[in-house]
Amino acid sequence: MNMGGSDPVEGHTAKAFDAALSDLRLQIVGMGGLVIDQVSAAVRALLDGDAAVADLVLSRENKVNELERFVDREAFRLIALHQPMASDLRMAKAASRITVELERAGDEAKKIAKFAARVATGEPQGPVLAVARFLRHMAELTTGMLRDAVRSLDESNAEMASAVRARDSELDDEFAAALRQILTLAMQDARFLGATIDTVFALKGLERIGDHAKNIAEQVLFVASGEDVRHTKKAAEAGTPEK
């Protein structure tokens, strides 16, 4: 008879849940590392006109999708079997949302890699070279944001997650500047219109990857505080009186 002690079955179940949740976190970190590599490689392939690197990115797309499905399935299983409370429930829910964001970031990398493959096989590279500095810098910004967003999850670091959110405006400014430059180029020389449009999509893809990193950071803040901060800034701006 268990005379006032803790229930050994309950203790075992709690340990099993903690281990499963820890494994889920590791899977997300691993997926994050893969997606970061995908983004870096896709932009490198585009700038260098490297078909082999572009093909590598495309070949790894299925792995990104498999990881997203695995984590989503495991998160759902944990919630259904263990019915976790409070922060553990938030973590399980956030895990599923974060992998969706990572999968979408990986999808943007795939699109850039497809463009890189076309450039490597003859599509004009002029528009890409015209904004190469912006592409390179935006890739550095987005991969840095993704890396810190995933790291903030791994370390349960809300301060780092907040810093990721704050860097999104820098990426938006860089995208706007790149867009102005490439549109000026398009008006001066319409010969490369198709490649110019594809380059705009590549820039926009990087800007979206930054949005996905910001969304991951917001999920980390949700786990830490229980507060859904996704619409906090918009709500604050909407409630700010005009001067």
Side-chain angles (χ1 to χ4, degrees), residues 1-66:
M1 182 180 292
N2 184 20
M3 302 295 291
S6 60
D7 186 342
V9 174
E10 184 178 334
H12 175 74
T13 302
K15 286 181 180 178
F17 176 80
D18 289 344
L21 200 61
S22 178
D23 182 63
L24 204 61
R25 194 186 295 253
L26 287 174
Q27 292 289 340
I28 295 170
V29 171
M31 183 181 179
L34 175 57
V35 170
I36 290 165
D37 285 346
Q38 289 285 86
V39 175
S40 295
V43 174
R44 186 168 70 251
L46 180 58
L47 292 171
D48 296 343
D50 193 326
V53 175
D55 288 343
L56 175 63
V57 173
L58 296 174
S59 71
R60 296 189 301 196
E61 170 68 10
N62 283 338
K63 180 64 175 175
V64 175
N65 295 336
E66 287 170 7

Side-chain angles (χ1 to χ4, degrees), residues 39 63 74 97 142 163:
V39 175
K63 180 64 175 175
E74 285 299 296
R97 294 171 182 170
T142 54

